[in-house]
Amino acid sequence: MKIDENLIDEHFMREAILEARYAEREDEVPIGAVIVYRGEIIARAHNQREQLKDPTAHAEMIAITQAAASMVSWRLEECTLYVTLEPCPMCAGAIVQARVPRVVYGASDPKAGAVETLFNLLNDSRLNHVCETKGGVLAQECAGMLSEFFQRKRRMGKK
């Protein structure tokens, strides 16, 4: 019996969406990430920039740190990163450095997307590592969460 990769990707993206909901409850930009190794989630995180007062506290960065601790290695070979928004240049750089072989994301990011939208860092053959990428998984749900969050912020007069 063949396993449907699309169903697997949707399953784990829903887990990333749950993480994004945690961020939203904490008044953080609702972005979530999970890292999967051999079918099991080994890391889960959400944006915590406001809470930690740390500009690097993106969901992907926190998840990569957790996964490296779980794997007892900085090399995240055989892992897949699922994230609700296309990674930015900082996160894409960390993904390359961690040797993550596969990245699946939900919504594209027209302002900072470094996978396909503005830059193509994960597939740049000049770098020492190239990732397989897949975008648009549950994109409407991921984008909708972000749109609602920022609309609510604007109504409240916040940035």
Side-chain angles (χ1 to χ4, degrees):
M1 183 164 108
K2 188 176 181 197
I3 298 172
D4 186 343
E5 189 176 272
N6 290 328
L7 290 177
I8 292 169
D9 288 344
E10 286 182 12
H11 168 76
F12 288 117
M13 186 59 72
R14 289 190 194 291
E15 292 294 322
I17 289 169
L18 285 175
E19 283 298 316
R21 295 286 182 204
Y22 290 130
E24 189 173 37
R25 284 187 214 120
E26 295 170 4
D27 204 30
E28 297 274 358
V29 176
I31 300 170
V34 298
I35 297 180
V36 175
Y37 174 72
R38 296 184 178 174
E40 299 291 326
I41 295 174
I42 61 167
R44 52 174 63 239
H46 55 273
N47 270 13
Q48 292 186 297
R49 292 191 322 169
E50 300 297 333
Q51 184 177 352
L52 298 177
K53 310 291 187 255
D54 180 354
T56 69
H58 289 200
E60 302 96 304
M61 300 293 283
I62 297 168
I64 287 169
T65 300
Q66 289 176 3
S70 175
M71 300 285 289
V72 193
S73 174
W74 61 268
R75 291 177 184 89
L76 301 183
E77 297 162 339
E78 297 184 55
C79 291
T80 299
L81 167 67
Y82 293 87
V83 61
T84 57
L85 183 66
E86 179 181 4
C88 71
M90 175 184 67
C91 293
I95 290 163
V96 168
Q97 291 301 313
R99 309 298 195 270
V100 176
R102 185 165 185 260
V103 175
V104 178
Y105 65 91
S108 294
D109 186 352
K111 293 185 177 181
V115 177
E116 294 176 321
T117 305
L118 295 179
F119 306 102
N120 195 349
L121 292 178
L122 299 185
N123 293 297
D124 190 328
S125 61
R126 296 171 297 176
L127 298 175
N128 64 342
H129 177 73
V130 175
C131 300
E132 174 190 339
T133 60
K134 180 179 179 181
V137 176
L138 302 178
Q140 287 184 328
E141 187 172 348
C142 294
M145 218 176 359
L146 287 161
S147 293
E148 291 168 15
F149 176 81
F150 287 114
Q151 285 172 3
R152 190 168 51 256
K153 286 289 191 188
R154 282 190 292 275
R155 281 194 307 270
M156 294 171 64
K158 295 182 179 179
K159 294 182 183 178

